[in-house]
Amino acid sequence: MADSPRDSSPEGLVSSNSNSKYPNFEVDYVISYSLPPPSPPSQQLAEAEASFSQLIHLLSKTGFAVEVRPGRPPTTPTSPSSLLIFLRIASHSLLEKQIYRYRVQDWLYGVRTAAPGPPNSLSEQEPITDAERLRLAYLLITKPVNEGGAGITPGVGQWRFVKSVFPLHDRKFNKEWIKDWSTKYILDDEDLLKIRNQFGEKVAFYFAFLQSYFQFLLFPALFGSAAWLVLGGFSWVYAVVNCLWGVIFFEHWKVKEVDLAVQWGVRGVGKIQLPRPQFKFEREGVDAVTGEIVKVYSPYKRLARQALQVPFAGACVVVLGGLILGCFSIEIFITEVYMGPFKQYLTFLPTVLLTIFMPTFTTLLTKLAERLTELENYETVDAHQASFVQKIFVLNFITSYLGIFLTAFVYVPFGKILVPYLDVFQLTAQKFTLEGKPLPTKEWVINPDRLRKQVIYFTVTAQIVNFATEVIVPYAKRRIFKTVEKVQMEVKGEKGAGVEWPRDADEEHRFLKRVREEAELEQYDVTIDYREMVIQFGYLSLFSVVWPLTGCSFLVNNWIEARSDAMKIAANSQRPIPWRADSIGPWLNALGFLSWLGSITSAALVYLFNKSGGGQLGVGSVWDIPGWALLLAILCSEHVYLGVQFVVRGVIKRLDSPGLQKERAERFAMRKELLERMVEEEVVSAQAEKGVGVRDGEKITREVLEEEARQHSGLGPEKVFWLRQRGAEESVEVGRGLIQLVSLANNNTAKRE
C-alpha cells in the first residue's frame, strides 16, 4: 500500500522541525540550477532545458518528491540566472530501506558490532539523526543509476548546469549553537555530539581536534609565559619541554580520535570508500578476492604520474621560494641599507609585491595540484583527497615557514657574506636618479631582533588578518554585492533583463528569500580549517623557542577560532554535506612530520642563538660556528625525540578510554548473546532427541520388546549397543539397580562378619 500524503514525509523518523521559527518546509536538499544569459541567444539555453528535463525525471524515478521555484533573476540581458529544485525523499519505506542497507554494510565491514534489526524498527534500535538522513539522501542523488541513484555529479559533463547541491540550514539550531558557544569557555562531549548529529562526523572531528588542541595549549601558554619571564628566548629548557609537549599531544590525539570514532559508531568507516565518478578505467577485470567484475587502472601509470609530485614540489620551491627570497632581499636592502628619499614609503614595497603576486602564484600552483591529482586518476574520493592534501601541504609549508627559515638560517649566519650582493638593488635604483648619482646608504649590521619580530608577526598579526579574511571580508563582500545588485535592479527596472520573473507566493516568500541567499553562499571546506590549525601547530613546534609567548597567542586565537568557524558554517557557508570520517585523515601525518621537524629546528635555533651557550646571535662570522657541533646537536635532539615518542606511545596505549571500553562491552555482549543462543539451541535439540527407541515414561510390555527385537535384528552390534537402554529414565533405573546390587552385597558381607 502506498504511503499516504501525511506519511510520505520521512520527518517521522527524525526529530521534527515543524515548531521551528524558520521551518524548512520538509526540504532535504536544494539544487541550484544555472541558466545561461538570455542574450545573446545560444545553443546553451536549449542544452540547459534538455538537461533540466532529464534531471527532474531521474530524481522523480529515484524516489524524490520534486518542486521547482525561480532562483536568482537575470539582472541584465547578459547576466546568468538560476532555478531552485527542492527535493524530499518521497516515502518512509525508501528511507528505511536506505538506512537498513547502509547499516548492514557497516556491519559487514566491521563498523558495527551487531547486525541491524528489521527495517521497520530502525528508529527504535538507534535514533536516526539529521546527518544520517541527509547523507543517505545525498548518496541517492549522486550514486550511479545502476546502484539505485540518480547519478548526478554537479558541474561535470551533462550536469554542468548543476551549480550546487546543498541541504538547508536549520536556523533554530544555528542560533542556539552560536548563543551556547559564545557563553562557555570549554566545549564538552555533548557539544561535539550535537555537531556530529547536525553536520556529520567529518566536521565534528575538526571541532574535536580544535577543542583538544585548545586544551593542550594551556600548558605551553603557562609554561611559555614563565619561560619568557625567567629564561628568555632560545632557552634549551623550553625547547626540550616544548618538544615533549608536541610528542604527547600528537600521540594523545591518535588515541583520542580512535576513542571518538568508537563513541560515534564510525570506527573503520574509512574502509567503506566512496567511488569517484570522474575515475577513468582502462579495462575490466575479476577481483581476486570477491570474484566480482571491477574497473581497473594500471598502478604503474599511476605511480609514474605520482612521480610528478617531485617536479611539482621543485616548482613550488622555485616560484614561491624565489618570490619570498626576492621580497626578503628587497626588504633587507630598504630597511637596513637604503637611506635615500621615500624610504618610509618604499618599506611597504615587499608587502605590496607579496600581496599582489603571492595569491596569484598560489592559485596557479593550487590549480596545477588539482590537475596533477586528476591525472593520478584515483578510484575513490578519500584517496583523491589525501593526494591533493599532500600537495597543498607542500604549498603552505613554503609560504608559511620559508621566510622564517631564511631569517634564521641564512640572514643571521650568512648575512655578512650575502648582503654585499644586494648592491644590485642600489645599482638598479641608481639608474632612475638624476645624473646617476649614487644612492645614500649606511653600513649594514645584522639585526638580531628581526627573527623575533618575524615570529611575532606570523603568530599574532597574521592570525588577526586571517580572522578578518575568513569572517569579516566574506560578510562585507556579500553585503556590497547585494547592494550593487539592488541598485542595478532599481536602475533597469524589474524587466531590465527582458525576463519577467514570477512573484513568490506570500506564504513562501520568506522561505524562498532565505534559500536564494543560501544558494549564493560558498561551499564549506573543512580542509581549509584543518590547514590553518596544522600550520599553526607548525609555528608552535618549529619556532616558538624564539618567542615562548607563542602558546599564549594561539590559546586566545583558538578560543575565538572555534566560535568564528561555527559562525562561518552557520552564516557564511552553505550547510556542509554530513560526510562520515573516523579520523582527521592525511592531516595526522602532517602533524607527525611537523612535530618531528620541530625537534631538529629547535635544537638548531638554540645552538645558534642561545647567549648563555655561546650562540652567535648575529655576532661574528659564520665560519666561527663549529659545523660538527651543530650537526651533533641536531642528531642528538632527533634521537631523543624518537626515543621519547616510543615511550610516550607505549604509555598512552596502556591507558583506557570510554570509547574502547564501550567497544569491548559491545563485543562482550555480542559474544555472550551468541553463546547463550547456542546453548539454548543445544538444549532444545537434546530434548527433542532424548527418546531414542521408547520414549521416557512409556510402559514396556512384551509386545514392545518383541517389536524392538524385530527392528534390531538386522543391526550390527555397534548399533544395538546404543539401543539397550531406552532414554534417560531407563539409564537411571539400570544404574540404580547396579548400585542396589553393590549395596546388598555389602550388607551381606557385614552380616557374615
Side-chain angles (χ1 to χ4, degrees):
M1 180 179 177
D3 294 332
S4 65
R6 179 179 294 274
D7 295 333
S8 63
S9 168
E11 298 293 332
L13 294 177
V14 294
S15 58
S16 175
N17 292 327
S18 59
N19 295 326
S20 174
K21 185 177 180 181
Y22 305 103
N24 283 339
F25 285 44
E26 297 182 346
V27 171
D28 288 330
Y29 275 90
V30 178
I31 296 179
S32 178
Y33 193 85
S34 297
L35 298 177
S39 179
S42 65
Q43 183 65 25
Q44 285 190 342
L45 197 57
E47 293 176 358
E49 183 178 357
S51 179
F52 172 79
S53 181
Q54 185 180 5
L55 174 67
I56 298 300
H57 285 101
L58 273 174
L59 291 169
S60 299
K61 185 178 179 180
T62 305
F64 285 99
V66 182
E67 288 287 332
V68 179
R69 297 291 187 275
R72 179 180 181 177
T75 55
T76 65
T78 57
S79 63
S81 56
S82 66
L83 299 177
L84 297 176
I85 305 172
F86 295 87
L87 306 178
R88 174 172 61 84
I89 296 181
S91 66
H92 279 309
S93 59
L94 177 60
L95 180 59
E96 288 173 345
K97 289 177 182 177
Q98 294 299 312
I99 294 173
Y100 180 73
R101 173 184 176 180
Y102 284 98
R103 288 187 179 181
V104 169
Q105 184 187 60
D106 289 348
W107 173 61
L108 293 175
Y109 276 89
V111 178
R112 293 176 176 270
T113 56
N120 57 3
S121 61
L122 290 173
S123 58
E124 298 174 2
Q125 303 166 30
E126 180 182 337
I128 301 169
T129 63
D130 275 349
E132 184 176 17
R133 176 176 60 83
L134 291 174
R135 176 174 58 85
L136 297 182
Y138 187 81
L139 289 175
L140 269 178
I141 296 170
T142 56
K143 68 182 180 181
V145 176
N146 58 359
E147 296 181 13
I152 311 300
T153 306
V156 177
Q158 63 176 326
W159 309 121
R160 65 185 182 278
F161 297 106
V162 177
K163 180 183 176 183
S164 61
V165 181
F166 62 95
L168 294 176
H169 278 292
D170 183 344
R171 292 294 180 91
K172 181 180 180 181
F173 172 84
N174 289 351
K175 184 178 180 180
E176 294 174 352
W177 179 29
I178 300 301
K179 181 180 179 182
D180 185 35
W181 279 29
S182 62
T183 56
K184 60 168 52 177
Y185 293 100
I186 301 294
L187 308 180
D188 52 30
D189 292 341
E190 186 65 28
D191 296 317
L192 298 176
L193 186 61
K194 289 179 181 178
I195 297 173
R196 175 244 179 181
N197 293 340
Q198 191 74 10
F199 302 113
E201 287 81 5
K202 193 169 186 178
V203 175
F205 260 110
Y206 165 70
F207 282 101
F209 170 76
L210 180 57
Q211 178 60 22
S212 182
Y213 178 40
F214 171 78
Q215 292 174 333
F216 262 76
L217 279 173
L218 288 171
F219 176 78
L222 296 175
F223 183 77
S225 300
W228 178 250
L229 294 173
V230 178
L231 303 173
F234 306 104
S235 166
W236 68 267
V237 175
Y238 176 85
V240 170
V241 173
N242 187 62
C243 288
L244 179 62
W245 171 87
V247 173
I248 295 175
F249 169 69
F250 176 64
E251 296 298 332
H252 167 268
W253 174 253
K254 289 201 300 185
V255 175
K256 177 69 174 179
E257 68 177 10
V258 172
D259 184 57
L260 289 173
V262 173
Q263 292 186 51
W264 294 342
V266 291
R267 186 181 186 185
V269 78
K271 302 173 187 175
I272 307 175
Q273 297 285 328
L274 292 174
R276 283 183 66 239
Q278 297 88 349
F279 171 66
K280 300 175 182 178
F281 65 96
E282 292 183 330
R283 59 184 176 84
E284 290 186 341
V286 179
D287 191 287
V289 177
T290 64
E292 297 178 344
I293 302 297
V294 293
K295 299 175 180 179
V296 180
Y297 180 75
S298 172
Y300 300 105
K301 284 188 177 181
R302 179 176 294 120
L303 182 61
R305 295 181 178 184
Q306 287 173 338
L308 294 175
Q309 294 185 29
V310 177
F312 171 76
C316 293
V317 172
V318 171
V319 176
L320 298 178
L323 176 63
I324 294 173
L325 180 60
C327 294
F328 183 81
S329 303
I330 294 173
E331 181 188 3
I332 292 175
F333 174 77
I334 294 175
T335 58
E336 300 181 17
V337 178
Y338 178 71
M339 293 298 293
F342 308 109
K343 177 176 180 176
Q344 66 271 30
Y345 304 110
L346 291 175
T347 53
F348 295 102
L349 179 60
T351 303
V352 172
L353 292 176
L354 284 174
T355 303
I356 294 174
F357 291 107
M358 182 63 77
T360 304
F361 290 160
T362 302
T363 301
L364 292 175
L365 290 171
T366 301
K367 290 182 179 180
L368 178 59
E370 292 176 351
R371 180 58 183 158
L372 287 177
T373 310
E374 289 288 343
L375 285 176
E376 291 166 9
N377 196 26
Y378 292 98
E379 294 93 339
T380 63
V381 174
D382 288 347
H384 179 87
Q385 183 68 14
S387 179
F388 181 67
V389 165
Q390 290 176 357
K391 299 177 181 66
I392 292 300
F393 178 70
V394 172
L395 283 174
N396 285 273
F397 186 91
I398 295 172
T399 57
S400 301
Y401 305 138
L402 184 58
I404 303 179
F405 274 116
L406 288 173
T407 299
F409 302 113
V410 177
Y411 169 80
V412 173
F414 298 97
K416 291 186 177 181
I417 298 175
L418 298 177
V419 163
Y421 292 97
L422 298 182
D423 287 342
V424 64
F425 299 117
Q426 182 177 2
L427 296 175
T428 303
Q430 186 174 324
K431 295 180 180 180
F432 298 95
T433 61
L434 295 175
E435 301 178 357
K437 293 182 179 180
L439 295 173
T441 60
K442 67 176 181 179
E443 183 181 357
W444 179 82
V445 293
I446 294 176
N447 179 8
D449 204 35
R450 178 183 178 84
L451 179 60
R452 183 179 66 86
K453 290 181 178 179
Q454 202 169 2
V455 171
I456 292 175
Y457 168 79
F458 281 107
T459 57
V460 179
T461 309
Q463 303 295 319
I464 297 173
V465 173
N466 181 65
F467 169 78
T469 55
E470 268 195 347
V471 180
I472 300 175
V473 172
Y475 176 78
K477 185 170 66 173
R478 201 165 59 248
R479 296 289 297 179
I480 292 172
F481 285 170
K482 290 175 85 172
T483 303
V484 172
E485 185 176 310
K486 184 178 179 181
V487 170
Q488 286 181 340
M489 292 290 290
E490 291 177 352
V491 171
K492 295 182 177 296
E494 294 184 358
K495 299 182 181 180
V499 179
E500 186 176 356
W501 217 239
R503 298 179 63 87
D504 299 332
D506 292 340
E507 62 274 14
E508 298 178 358
H509 176 70
R510 185 180 181 187
F511 170 69
L512 292 177
K513 180 181 178 182
R514 177 166 67 88
V515 175
R516 293 184 186 111
E517 291 176 353
E518 291 189 24
E520 298 299 322
L521 297 176
E522 297 289 334
Q523 296 182 8
Y524 175 71
D525 186 3
V526 72
T527 301
I528 296 174
D529 290 334
Y530 272 128
R531 181 190 65 194
E532 292 174 7
M533 288 298 103
V534 170
I535 293 300
Q536 185 193 99
F537 176 81
Y539 284 123
L540 188 60
S541 297
L542 301 177
F543 307 116
S544 65
V545 69
V546 177
W547 191 56
L549 293 178
T550 299
C552 295
S553 172
F554 288 164
L555 183 69
V556 175
N557 175 83
N558 288 359
W559 189 92
I560 301 172
E561 182 74 20
R563 280 79 188 162
S564 66
D565 287 341
M567 180 63 71
K568 180 170 64 175
I569 294 175
N572 291 343
S573 305
Q574 293 177 356
R575 182 174 177 175
I577 308 297
W579 293 119
R580 296 191 298 178
D582 56 2
S583 70
I584 63 174
W587 294 109
L588 185 65
N589 296 329
L591 283 176
F593 170 75
L594 291 173
S595 178
W596 165 80
L597 188 60
S599 67
I600 296 177
T601 57
S602 296
L605 288 170
V606 170
Y607 177 81
L608 291 173
F609 294 95
N610 183 272
K611 293 181 181 179
S612 60
Q616 300 304 305
L617 196 63
V619 180
S621 171
V622 66
W623 311 114
D624 297 332
I625 303 175
W628 64 267
L630 175 61
L631 182 61
L632 181 63
I634 292 174
L635 289 176
C636 289
S637 176
E638 181 194 20
H639 282 73
V640 169
Y641 171 87
L642 295 175
V644 170
Q645 185 183 47
F646 178 79
V647 174
V648 171
R649 183 177 299 171
V651 172
I652 290 180
K653 283 186 176 180
R654 293 178 180 272
L655 302 178
D656 210 347
S657 63
L660 297 178
Q661 289 178 356
K662 176 186 176 184
E663 184 180 47
R664 291 197 300 270
E666 290 177 349
R667 296 192 181 279
F668 173 78
M670 180 184 66
R671 291 194 298 267
K672 182 179 179 182
E673 181 182 356
L674 288 175
L675 289 172
E676 290 176 349
R677 192 182 304 167
M678 290 173 60
V679 171
E680 183 180 349
E681 291 175 354
E682 290 174 357
V683 170
V684 172
S685 176
Q687 291 176 351
E689 298 176 359
K690 69 177 181 178
V692 180
V694 180
R695 294 188 301 271
D696 289 342
E698 182 179 354
K699 187 176 181 181
I700 302 176
T701 62
R702 182 173 181 175
E703 290 78 8
V704 172
L705 294 175
E706 290 176 351
E707 178 64 26
E708 282 193 0
R710 284 193 298 271
Q711 292 177 357
H712 300 166
S713 59
L715 300 176
E718 72 280 0
K719 299 293 184 182
V720 176
F721 176 83
W722 294 102
L723 299 173
R724 297 290 185 185
Q725 298 164 12
R726 294 168 288 275
E729 292 298 330
E730 188 170 347
S731 298
V732 171
E733 291 298 326
V734 171
R736 284 179 176 176
L738 295 174
I739 293 172
Q740 289 175 2
L741 289 176
V742 174
S743 178
L744 182 61
N746 290 338
N747 292 336
N748 291 336
T749 302
K751 288 179 180 180
R752 285 197 299 270
E753 292 176 353

